[in-house]
């Protein structure tokens, strides 16, 4: 499983790299994000080009991914800037049409890998046309913004109701490597991270973002403690992957049904709190 971790801090990036994180994720997206995620428990990173440059110097083995802003008149310059700063992968968020994706791919011009953050219902509606375009290296399904646009209570509802299944089938058929959502620590939250990881295996996903609750410097008492914690938590993920690699179809179907039930449980609890 390809593990992604968002940070602009070079020291934290090096810790994540040593812990086995595959992609260090610098997040330059800010346009329109505060409006669409208002009153949500989300983070608007608004990292800068200077952060990209610093991270490029800090890491040696992990791939450097940079998320730019949604496509607009500013985008070609943003692409140029992050290419020159040394991005290995460039992520396009919040697109809605194949035309936007085509312009993005053209701007990148194979100077970096391309990753599409699929997080709008319009983009899902246009997915067949989008996947027909050459030059898409990765797709990540963004559950948070999809959940906001759909007006659902909990972001994993799109996984529980089969929405991710339908998209994953198209991505597998197109031969495009994909991931979805974020993941907390093994044993944490509901549904627990190990069941979310099992859903990645069932669907053929190979990428997940490690969430703030997975590992954050604020959870440790110092740099050494943070690094030890990070390495231990990644080791748990890798151990769980080894277990899942030997699981059969019956196990994954049972897990799918458990996730559906647990998501419904969370939705009920959240609605009761809102009532």
């Amino acid at each position: 499983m390809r593990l992604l971790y968002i940070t602009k801090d070079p020291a934290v990036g090096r810790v994540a790299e040593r812990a086995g994180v595959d992609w260090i994720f610098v997040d330059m997206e800010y346009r329109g994000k505060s409006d669409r995620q208002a009153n949500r428990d989300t983070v608007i990173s608004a990292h800068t080009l200077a952060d990209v440059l610093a991270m490029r110097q800090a890491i040696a083995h992990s791939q450097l991914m940079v998320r730019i802003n949604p496509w607009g008149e500013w985008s070609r310059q943003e692409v140029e800037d992050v290419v020159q700063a040394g991005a290995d992968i460039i992520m396009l968020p919040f697109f809605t049409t194949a035309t936007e994706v085509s312009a993005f791919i053209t701007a990148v011009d194979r100077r970096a890998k391309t990753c599409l953050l699929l997080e709008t219902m319009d983009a899902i509606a246009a997915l067949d046309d989008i996947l027909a375009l050459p030059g898409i290296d990765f797709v990540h399904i963004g559950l948070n913004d999809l959940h906001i646009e759909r007006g659902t209570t909990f972001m994993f509802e799109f996984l529980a109701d089969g929405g991710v299944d339908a998209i994953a089938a198209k991505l597998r058929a197109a031969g495009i490597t994909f991931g979805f959502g974020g993941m907390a620590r093994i044993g944490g939250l509901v549904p627990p991270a190990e069941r979310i990881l099992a859903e990645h295996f069932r669907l053929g996903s190979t990428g997940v973002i490690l969430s703030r609750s997975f590992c954050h410097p604020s959870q440790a008492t110092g740099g050494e403690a943070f690094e030890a914690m990070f390495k231990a938590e990644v080791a748990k993920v890798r151990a769980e992957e080894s277990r899942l690699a030997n699981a059969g179809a019956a196990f994954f179907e049972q897990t799918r049904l458990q996730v559906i039930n647990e998501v419904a449980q969370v939705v009920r609890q959240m609605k009761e709190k809102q009532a």
Side-chain angles (χ1 to χ4, degrees), residues 10-21 24 58 61-62 223 227 230-231 234:
V12 173
R14 285 191 291 268
V15 167
E17 180 178 63
R18 290 193 294 265
V21 169
I24 306 300
H61 306 296
S62 299
E227 180 157 2
F230 209 143
K231 287 181 177 178
V234 169

Side-chain angles (χ1 to χ4, degrees), residues 8-48:
K8 70 172 185 177
D9 186 328
V12 173
R14 285 191 291 268
V15 167
E17 180 178 63
R18 290 193 294 265
V21 169
D22 302 283
W23 290 5
I24 306 300
F25 183 165
V26 177
D27 183 11
M28 291 179 60
E29 183 191 6
Y30 68 92
R31 291 180 181 269
K33 199 167 184 179
S34 59
D35 291 333
R36 71 176 186 265
Q37 294 189 357
N39 302 315
R40 305 274 178 175
D41 182 24
T42 56
V43 173
I44 299 172
S45 302
H47 298 167
T48 67

Side-chain angles (χ1 to χ4, degrees), residues 1 143 154-157 159-160 180-203 205 207-209 240 244 251-252 255-256 258-260 262-263:
M1 184 65 63
L143 298 184
F154 182 40
M155 72 173 186
F156 282 120
E157 286 181 80
L159 175 61
F180 67 86
M183 188 178 74
R185 296 182 183 192
I186 297 297
L189 304 184
V190 178
E194 55 268 31
R195 282 205 263 280
I196 297 299
L197 191 60
E199 285 287 85
H200 282 268
F201 269 64
R202 179 180 68 82
L203 292 165
S205 163
V208 65
I209 298 171
E240 188 65 18
L244 291 170
F251 168 84
F252 288 111
T255 300
R256 184 184 72 85
Q258 286 177 305
V259 168
I260 291 171
E262 287 168 339
V263 167

Side-chain angles (χ1 to χ4, degrees), residues 45-253:
S45 302
H47 298 167
T48 67
L49 190 61
D51 296 322
V52 179
L53 289 162
M55 193 62 71
R56 178 72 285 165
Q57 294 299 313
I59 60 175
H61 306 296
S62 299
Q63 296 282 287
L64 174 58
M65 184 173 77
V66 181
R67 175 161 61 186
I68 60 172
N69 280 298
W71 194 258
E73 60 184 16
W74 50 82
S75 298
R76 287 177 178 82
Q77 188 60 55
E78 286 188 358
V79 168
E80 192 65 31
D81 288 343
V82 299
V83 166
Q84 295 304 317
D88 297 304
I89 308 110
I90 304 175
M91 173 183 272
L92 178 68
F94 216 71
F95 58 90
T96 58
T97 68
T99 300
E100 291 173 312
V101 173
S102 179
F104 167 65
I105 292 169
T106 299
V108 176
D109 194 25
R110 305 308 306 173
R111 294 174 295 168
K113 298 289 187 181
T114 59
C115 183
L116 305 182
L117 182 57
L118 185 65
E119 55 182 346
T120 70
M121 295 307 293
D122 283 344
I124 291 172
L127 191 56
D128 291 340
D129 291 337
I130 290 167
L131 295 182
L133 296 169
I136 301 170
D137 294 304
F138 308 99
V139 170
H140 195 86
I141 304 167
L143 298 184
N144 189 55
D145 273 292
L146 283 170
H147 135 66
I148 292 170
E149 184 176 347
R150 294 171 76 224
T152 51
T153 304
F154 182 40
M155 72 173 186
F156 282 120
E157 286 181 80
F158 196 58
L159 175 61
D161 66 17
V164 176
D165 286 68
I167 296 169
K170 290 189 175 186
L171 293 169
R172 291 194 306 268
I176 294 177
T177 301
F178 70 95
F180 67 86
M183 188 178 74
R185 296 182 183 192
I186 297 297
L189 304 184
V190 178
E194 55 268 31
R195 282 205 263 280
I196 297 299
L197 191 60
E199 285 287 85
H200 282 268
F201 269 64
R202 179 180 68 82
L203 292 165
S205 163
T206 59
V208 65
I209 298 171
L210 301 178
S211 69
R212 282 176 290 158
S213 62
F214 181 88
C215 204
H216 191 272
S218 63
Q219 298 165 339
T221 55
E224 291 184 3
F226 172 59
E227 180 157 2
M229 177 177 64
F230 209 143
K231 287 181 177 178
E233 294 304 326
V234 169
K236 291 176 186 177
V237 173
R238 298 310 188 196
E240 188 65 18
E241 286 182 277
S242 296
R243 188 178 75 87
L244 291 170
N246 296 311
F251 168 84
F252 288 111
E253 176 60 14

